[in-house]
Amino acid sequence: MAVKFFGQFMVEQGIITSSALLDAINLQDKNNLKLGEMAVTMGLITSADIQRAHNAQMSRDMKLGDLLVEMGFLTLAQLNDIIIRQKNTHLYIGEALVQVGALTSDQLQNHLDAFKADQAKYISNGIELPITTTNNAIWEMTADLTYKMVTRVLDLKFRPGACTPVTVITANFMLAAMDFSGDVEARYLISVSEGLQKAIAKAILHEESVDAEPLEVLEDTVMEFINVVCGNVAAKASQMGVIMNINPPVSLHPPAAGLTIPEGHTALSFPIHIEDGDTLELLLVIKN
Amino acid sequence: MKKVLVVDDSLSVARLLEKIIAESGDFTCVGHARDGAEAIKMNHTENPEIICMDMNMPGMDGLTALRTLSVMDKEVKVVMVTSLGGVGDKFTEALKLGAKNVISKPFEADNVLRILRAL
């Protein structure tokens, strides 16, 4: 029911053991050379050249390959040759599992088909942001995955409203927030009314009624919902080559005037109109 | 019945896991720790056979606690239950540190019990 990578899917389903997966990952680590290792293996540069480039990287925000070209250790044509060789010799996890004897080639194809079917529900549906941010593709995926989790986890029918930039986060019964760090920096927030908080609690706790639940538990269910969404966003981002770390969620109760967006940040609001007339709001406060 | 310790800072996830465990007929829940440090203490006092532990918790996180448990107690079987299961590096790190499996959130009761029964 979550965003997964193939190896995890196979272990979770009990088709392979975790030790077989680790064997396959170790085989990948030996086979799939990093750019510098490949350049040395191809006899184009020395380990000492790589070390010099790594030292230079400490004060330069550049990819290793670009830096090696700039420092004159490689030509652009040689860099392209290395990248092509990396792609041509890349060992994917499925093939690695076959090579360590965990699967046959026929079994691999069948399980890949099952994996693709399992993950098809998380393929992005083309949301477009109205403005340019640090990484539009990541935030469009984040909104899209939020919509999918509202359906799958909360079982709520809704209509997404238009995304708009905002300068103030309007006060509501409760907000739950999680911070992203890593390749992108942002705060993910969900704003809910009292009624929606209860609807989320019913879905998360799998209970018909939550009227007797203490406020602490009701708030916790909203925080857990965003924890699930943000964890899956981080997983999807890693498939897109972007590192996103998450911190544990917190609950917020803004003053009546709302929360002003700090300088150097862009805030986007995604209203989610629920079938019963209530509105859940997704907010992304993105560092510029 | 096998004894299970639940470790999660979320009250709602702990409640849900405790319910799944209690209704399974095969397992009994011996307690709920809210972070990694409490998990290590409760592993000593409650002596569970299985620990279901979150990764992303305030205070001592799940991977740090897993690292300690792997050294201190070779018998206990740890399964990570996390929304970060789909992040390849986190999943692999958990297995390398000795976790028997990783359950991604959101989870279904059938999946949780199938994984616990296979331990």
Side-chain angles (χ1 to χ4, degrees):
Chain A
M1 201 173 168
V3 176
K4 291 169 193 161
F5 66 96
F6 183 59
Q8 175 192 17
F9 172 79
M10 297 294 279
V11 174
E12 257 199 28
Q13 295 293 310
I15 299 161
I16 59 167
T17 63
S18 55
S19 67
L21 177 61
L22 286 178
D23 288 345
I25 289 169
N26 286 337
L27 182 63
Q28 277 188 304
D29 288 345
K30 278 184 203 155
N31 183 84
N32 297 342
L33 300 182
K34 291 176 184 163
L35 187 129
E37 293 168 338
M38 183 62 88
V40 172
T41 303
M42 290 167 73
L44 299 172
I45 53 174
T46 66
S47 298
D49 298 334
I50 303 267
Q51 191 53 51
R52 280 190 210 104
H54 278 313
N55 290 343
Q57 263 187 318
M58 289 179 192
S59 56
R60 302 285 304 280
D61 185 20
M62 284 178 76
K63 288 182 179 171
L64 180 66
D66 296 335
L67 201 52
L68 285 166
V69 171
E70 192 188 271
M71 292 172 79
F73 292 128
L74 290 176
T75 65
L76 199 53
Q78 285 173 324
L79 177 60
N80 286 335
D81 286 346
I82 295 165
I83 292 169
I84 290 167
R85 179 93 165 255
Q86 273 187 305
K87 279 185 184 163
N88 290 344
T89 58
H90 187 86
L91 180 65
Y92 289 94
I93 190 66
E95 186 53 37
L97 285 166
V98 172
Q99 288 193 21
V100 299
L103 290 175
T104 65
S105 294
D106 288 345
Q107 286 171 329
L108 170 62
Q109 195 49 55
N110 291 338
H111 292 309
L112 275 173
D113 291 343
F115 172 67
K116 281 176 190 164
D118 180 74
Q119 294 294 293
K121 48 189 170 281
Y122 297 112
I123 292 172
S124 203
N125 281 343
I127 292 171
E128 281 192 28
L129 300 188
I131 56 167
T132 302
T133 68
T134 47
N135 195 328
N136 275 30
I138 286 293
W139 307 123
E140 287 160 3
M141 174 273 286
T142 302
D144 182 65
L145 206 47
T146 302
Y147 297 152
K148 287 181 164 65
M149 290 294 183
V150 169
T151 302
R152 296 201 165 272
V153 178
L154 304 183
D155 197 23
L156 294 174
K157 290 193 171 64
F158 69 94
R159 176 178 57 79
C163 167
T164 52
V166 292
T167 52
V168 174
I169 294 175
T170 316
N172 202 348
F173 184 70
M174 178 205 169
L175 282 101
M178 272 184 101
D179 289 335
F180 289 119
S181 59
D183 290 343
V184 289
E185 282 189 47
R187 172 162 273 206
Y188 177 102
L189 302 106
I190 286 281
S191 173
V192 296
S193 65
E194 187 174 7
L196 270 172
Q197 186 190 58
K198 285 189 175 175
I200 292 171
K202 283 181 193 172
I204 295 288
L205 295 171
H206 297 200
E207 299 284 359
E208 290 293 316
S209 170
V210 292
D211 291 341
E213 295 291 348
L215 189 60
E216 185 188 13
V217 171
L218 297 177
E219 288 203 348
D220 184 84
T221 59
V222 183
M223 291 193 285
E224 181 53 26
F225 173 65
I226 69 163
N227 180 40
V228 168
V229 176
C230 291
N232 281 274
V233 164
K236 198 79 183 172
S238 74
Q239 293 172 2
M240 296 162 73
V242 175
I243 295 169
M244 289 176 87
N245 304 312
I246 56 173
N247 290 319
V250 293
S251 65
L252 303 172
H253 296 278
L259 295 171
T260 307
I261 304 303
E263 251 184 64
H265 291 75
T266 299
L268 295 170
S269 163
F270 300 79
I272 300 171
H273 304 294
I274 307 297
E275 184 180 45
D276 66 1
D278 213 338
T279 299
L280 184 76
E281 188 182 14
L282 159 66
L283 293 139
L284 294 173
V285 181
I286 304 159
K287 192 173 181 190
N288 296 335
Chain B
M1 287 210 280
K2 288 187 178 174
K3 295 192 288 182
V4 182
L5 174 66
V6 171
V7 187
D8 203 307
D9 58 310
S10 164
L11 293 172
S12 46
V13 175
R15 276 254 306 260
L16 200 55
L17 280 172
E18 283 166 359
K19 191 174 167 190
I20 291 169
I21 289 163
E23 289 174 357
S24 68
D26 300 332
F27 305 99
T28 180
C29 184
V30 293
H32 167 213
R34 295 191 67 165
D35 66 19
E38 199 179 349
I40 292 165
K41 281 185 203 162
M42 289 185 74
N43 180 58
H44 185 66
T45 57
E46 305 300 329
N47 198 24
E49 285 145 297
I50 298 168
I51 297 179
C52 291
M53 182 156 64
D54 189 14
M55 266 191 204
N56 186 29
M57 296 181 284
M60 186 189 285
D61 67 29
L63 289 179
T64 306
L66 173 62
R67 196 175 286 120
T68 306
L69 285 164
S70 301
V71 174
M72 286 174 59
D73 187 344
K74 304 282 184 202
E75 300 298 318
V76 70
K77 292 171 176 166
V78 181
V79 174
M80 305 307 285
V81 184
T82 175
S83 63
L84 288 169
V87 180
D89 290 349
K90 294 279 184 192
F91 184 92
T92 308
E93 190 181 359
L95 293 189
K96 284 182 177 171
L97 288 171
K100 297 298 177 194
N101 212 325
V102 179
I103 299 170
S104 287
K105 293 178 184 175
F107 53 73
E108 283 143 2
D110 290 353
N111 196 34
V112 172
L113 291 176
R114 188 174 49 72
I115 285 171
L116 295 187
R117 285 177 179 134
L119 292 175

